Amino acid sequence: MSKDNNSPQPWKILKSEMVFDEKWYKLRRDEVELPNGHTLDDYYVSVRPNVALTFPLTEDNHVIFVRQYKHAAGGIFIELPGGVIDEGEDDPLRLPSASCWKKQAILLIT
């Protein structure tokens, strides 16, 4: 990546500590140096596991969404099917086994 003024630049991590570490949620506090030289000593990062989303299409090109309750947000949302990739999982982009949809191709975006 070029280093011109319009390109985003990474922050330098000066110090990092895990301040909350539970099975379903982890919170880290970093001290960072910004590209402009300023430092932040209390930048909080929600540490999350790897996740995968699918973009399933029906034969007539309709997108399939799931409707589910999200407790943290306090509401019901419509979203693409997906979830956490468990360690050692061989097929993170699986569709529900009871579904009649089939995976045609997978494009990994990193």
Side-chain angles (χ1 to χ4, degrees):
M1 183 189 290
S2 68
K3 296 242 181 203
D4 64 50
N5 289 337
N6 294 324
S7 295
Q9 300 297 314
W11 297 2
K12 182 178 180 183
I13 299 174
L14 304 173
K15 185 168 74 169
S16 185
E17 69 174 311
M18 194 66 68
V19 294
F20 189 80
D21 190 353
E22 294 293 327
K23 180 179 180 180
W24 297 107
Y25 189 74
K26 298 178 186 326
L27 184 67
R28 189 181 79 218
R29 180 174 50 224
D30 290 349
E31 180 179 340
V32 296
E33 181 180 318
L34 304 178
N36 65 7
H38 291 108
T39 59
L40 301 174
D41 63 356
D42 60 352
Y43 190 85
Y44 289 87
V45 178
S46 179
V47 180
R48 300 182 181 247
N50 291 325
V51 297
L53 296 176
T54 61
F55 192 82
L57 293 173
T58 63
E59 288 185 11
D60 56 351
N61 287 325
H62 287 92
V63 179
I64 300 165
F65 289 94
V66 294
R67 187 171 175 254
Q68 58 189 359
Y69 175 72
K70 297 289 188 173
H71 182 71
I76 296 172
F77 294 86
I78 297 172
E79 58 190 18
L80 293 169
V84 173
I85 302 171
D86 296 322
E87 189 167 327
E89 188 168 8
D90 62 348
D91 188 7
L93 298 180
R94 67 194 176 282
L95 290 172
S97 59
S99 76
C100 58
W101 305 299
K102 296 180 184 173
K103 235 183 331 188
Q104 297 297 317
I106 295 177
L107 172 63
L108 179 63
I109 302 172
T110 58

